[in-house]
Amino acid sequence: MTFPFNVITGKTIHSIIQGATQECVDRVRDAYLAHEEKQSVNPDSYFLRFPERPRDRIIALPAYLGGTTNVSGIKWIASYPDNVAKGFPRASAVLLLNDYETGYPFACLESSIISAARTAGSAVLAAEWLNGRRRQVRRLGIVGNGLIARYIYTFLMELGWEVDEVLLHDLVPSEAERFARESCRPTRHGVIRCEKELETVVHSSDLLVLATVAGAPYIRDPALLAHNPIVLNISLRDLAPELLLASHNIVDDVEHVMKANTSPHLAEQLSGGRGFVTGTLAQLILGRCQVDRSRPIIFSPFGLGVLDLAVGKWVYDVAVARDEHVAVNDFFWELTR
């Protein structure tokens, strides 16, 4: 008996995802719905930390996704914020996929792109449902102008969102300028502006994307959200807990997001419970909860391993069908019991 093992490179993964943005989002949606219906196993993430490097970590996300995907696996993703100052992305990752019947791994995929794509897919899916199924906003604000922000913006554009103005803010002003120059699409907007003041972006945006490496809340003034925006709280730790307690809150998974001092976790500690959570994104899609614009709407996704499996298995199938995989012959050698 043989057990094939294939490697899918970042170049191939980028090509597949960039050519099929809507399908990527659909895979994310289906994974959320399967997870809601208990067709998955998604244990807690495990954080490997280093005493002498408190900002750095490597995270293991094991999961199983049933339904039509029926695959298990694990993402191993390193987050080293100081990489940004060195000129390359903060995160690097691999994804291993395991056969459900035998448990044997059958693929290794470069996964920083998969991770960024599933995060973007989650963000734009939430944006559409929180915005009443409309792909249109007057002003989009993006705080933190790195790779994740670029993927979210690209997904919005590829899915046909109409955005009149784009406001950009980064602690490193040159990063915002680079984003405006290299990532934004001028023909799609009337205005693209880099803002030095964070407050200007937050209180002016109808759709606000938070994609930073912040370790603790720094957005605290309730007046900044008085216009009841939609906030994609991707980096999870930017918002003071008091702001969440005054908002509608949609999460990906209640248990998962209430840990590691995320803003929802801090809100739970402050309020003594989880009653401030309106529901999950899957519940919103299924009509089991509702939001309105009487308060800010905040989407806080912890990031589920099942999403990596959903996007990774889809990418794997496409790559193999196109013969764009790298077969590693004899990867498993001792196969005689």
Side-chain angles (χ1 to χ4, degrees), residues 298-319:
I298 301 174
F299 175 57
S300 300
F302 193 74
L304 302 178
V306 293
L307 303 186
D308 297 286
L309 294 183
V311 175
K313 181 56 165 58
W314 161 62
V315 166
Y316 170 83
D317 289 339
V318 174

Side-chain angles (χ1 to χ4, degrees), residues 76-329:
W76 182 239
I77 180 166
S79 175
Y80 280 55
D82 290 344
N83 287 350
V84 175
K86 300 172 184 176
F88 53 92
R90 167 185 59 87
S92 59
V94 293
L95 175 68
L96 285 175
L97 300 180
N98 294 71
D99 180 74
Y100 181 66
E101 295 299 328
T102 67
Y104 270 72
F106 62 85
C108 177
L109 297 85
E110 193 286 331
S111 199
S112 65
I113 296 173
I114 288 173
S115 189
R118 65 85 147 144
T119 301
S122 170
V124 300
L125 181 68
E128 181 173 340
W129 280 90
L130 299 178
N131 197 40
R133 303 302 307 278
R134 293 180 295 111
R135 296 181 177 183
Q136 181 180 16
V137 291
R138 180 171 178 268
R139 188 173 288 140
L140 167 67
I142 304 177
V143 177
N145 304 146
L147 183 140
I148 296 298
R150 170 158 55 86
Y151 267 77
I152 293 173
Y153 173 84
T154 299
F155 271 45
L156 289 170
M157 294 299 98
E158 289 297 314
L159 294 179
W161 276 71
E162 298 178 13
V163 178
D164 295 336
E165 300 181 23
V166 177
L167 305 182
L168 303 171
H169 174 81
D170 196 282
L171 285 178
V172 181
S174 61
E175 286 298 298
E177 294 165 4
R178 177 202 52 77
F179 193 101
R181 182 177 62 252
E182 299 179 5
S183 299
C184 287
R185 305 182 184 184
T187 59
R188 300 286 297 274
H189 317 293
V191 173
I192 300 171
R193 188 165 66 247
C194 298
E195 293 284 356
K196 293 183 179 180
E197 300 298 327
L198 165 73
E199 292 77 10
T200 300
V201 177
V202 176
H203 75 62
S204 300
S205 300
D206 306 302
L207 176 61
L208 177 65
V209 177
L210 302 176
T212 73
V213 293
Y218 57 90
I219 301 174
R220 296 186 171 277
D221 185 357
L224 294 176
L225 302 184
H227 60 301
N228 298 334
I230 295 169
V231 182
L232 304 181
N233 184 28
I234 306 304
S235 38
L236 287 176
R237 294 170 180 84
D238 306 71
L239 299 169
E242 292 85 354
L243 300 183
L244 274 70
L245 296 179
S247 304
H248 293 292
N249 290 278
I250 298 295
V251 301
D252 53 358
D253 183 286
V254 177
E255 290 295 330
H256 283 272
V257 81
M258 300 293 177
K259 57 173 64 73
N261 287 327
T262 63
S263 294
H265 188 203
L266 296 178
E268 178 189 29
Q269 296 173 50
L270 181 62
S271 66
R274 300 176 176 181
F276 66 93
V277 177
T278 308
T280 67
L281 180 55
Q283 290 168 351
L284 182 68
I285 293 172
L286 293 169
R288 298 174 184 173
C289 69
Q290 295 180 334
V291 295
D292 58 46
R293 301 307 289 271
S294 63
R295 289 184 285 168
I297 307 173
I298 301 174
F299 175 57
S300 300
F302 193 74
L304 302 178
V306 293
L307 303 186
D308 297 286
L309 294 183
V311 175
K313 181 56 165 58
W314 161 62
V315 166
Y316 170 83
D317 289 339
V318 174
V320 171
R322 294 181 181 179
D323 197 25
E324 295 180 8
H325 58 295
V326 180
V328 183
N329 297 321

Side-chain angles (χ1 to χ4, degrees), residues 324-335:
E324 295 180 8
H325 58 295
V326 180
V328 183
N329 297 321
D330 301 326
F331 184 83
F332 297 103
W333 184 247
E334 288 284 1
L335 293 173

